[in-house]
Amino acid sequence: IKSMDTRTLVNQALKQAMKDKSAQRLSTLRLINAAIKDKEIAARGGDGDATIGDADILAILGKMTKQRNESARAYEEGSRLDLAERELEEIAIIEEFLPKQLDDDEIRAAVKAAVTGSGAASIRDMGKVMG
């Protein structure tokens, strides 16, 4: 699935949500498309057409997820659990298009592999590990 760009995946999911008559999913996917189009318009400025890449789209999705997390927290503090739940549902939909996040054990294993692979022996070798 990753061979397709994120924009294509979102558009396919949007079409499927229309077929499935899934209102919540359709609404969230439309918000994603609108955010992508807004970013393209801003990037375009005054000349022709500018398209944004996958990295920009992933940044937009990350920002949308962060905003919804903050909103959900605020709704929970205000005892509006219905609205908080809706925000969390939107987060789940948006995260479908983001790369999988590593858990703590996977991060530890990756760091250990990098340290071992670089031959680092002390804190002074940190540059080798990071390079």
Side-chain angles (χ1 to χ4, degrees), residues 68-115:
R68 277 153 186 76
N69 271 320
E70 291 169 0
S71 296
R73 198 172 307 115
Y75 288 140
E76 285 172 2
E77 288 170 6
S79 298
R80 294 296 310 265
L81 298 181
D82 54 328
L83 295 175
E85 189 174 311
R86 181 177 170 94
E87 295 292 325
L88 295 174
E89 288 170 5
E90 287 187 6
I91 290 169
I93 294 166
I94 295 167
E95 285 181 340
E96 291 175 26
F97 303 99
L98 288 170
K100 180 184 168 285
Q101 300 296 308
L102 298 177
D103 64 26
D104 288 345
D105 292 334
E106 292 170 318
I107 292 170
R108 281 189 195 91
V111 170
K112 188 174 267 185
V115 170

Side-chain angles (χ1 to χ4, degrees), residues 8-117:
T8 305
L9 292 172
V10 170
N11 284 327
Q12 286 180 346
L14 185 85
K15 290 175 188 171
Q16 190 59 47
M18 284 181 192
K19 290 178 186 173
D20 297 344
K21 294 183 175 32
S22 174
Q24 171 74 25
R25 186 168 175 79
L26 184 60
S27 171
T28 303
L29 293 168
R30 283 184 174 150
L31 286 172
I32 292 171
N33 262 345
I36 292 170
K37 284 185 173 72
D38 285 347
K39 180 77 171 180
E40 283 181 336
I41 290 168
R44 188 180 310 152
D47 57 342
D49 58 285
T51 57
I52 58 174
D54 247 18
D56 292 319
I57 293 173
L58 293 177
I60 292 167
L61 296 177
K63 183 177 177 186
M64 291 176 78
T65 302
K66 184 179 177 192
Q67 289 170 337
R68 277 153 186 76
N69 271 320
E70 291 169 0
S71 296
R73 198 172 307 115
Y75 288 140
E76 285 172 2
E77 288 170 6
S79 298
R80 294 296 310 265
L81 298 181
D82 54 328
L83 295 175
E85 189 174 311
R86 181 177 170 94
E87 295 292 325
L88 295 174
E89 288 170 5
E90 287 187 6
I91 290 169
I93 294 166
I94 295 167
E95 285 181 340
E96 291 175 26
F97 303 99
L98 288 170
K100 180 184 168 285
Q101 300 296 308
L102 298 177
D103 64 26
D104 288 345
D105 292 334
E106 292 170 318
I107 292 170
R108 281 189 195 91
V111 170
K112 188 174 267 185
V115 170
T116 306

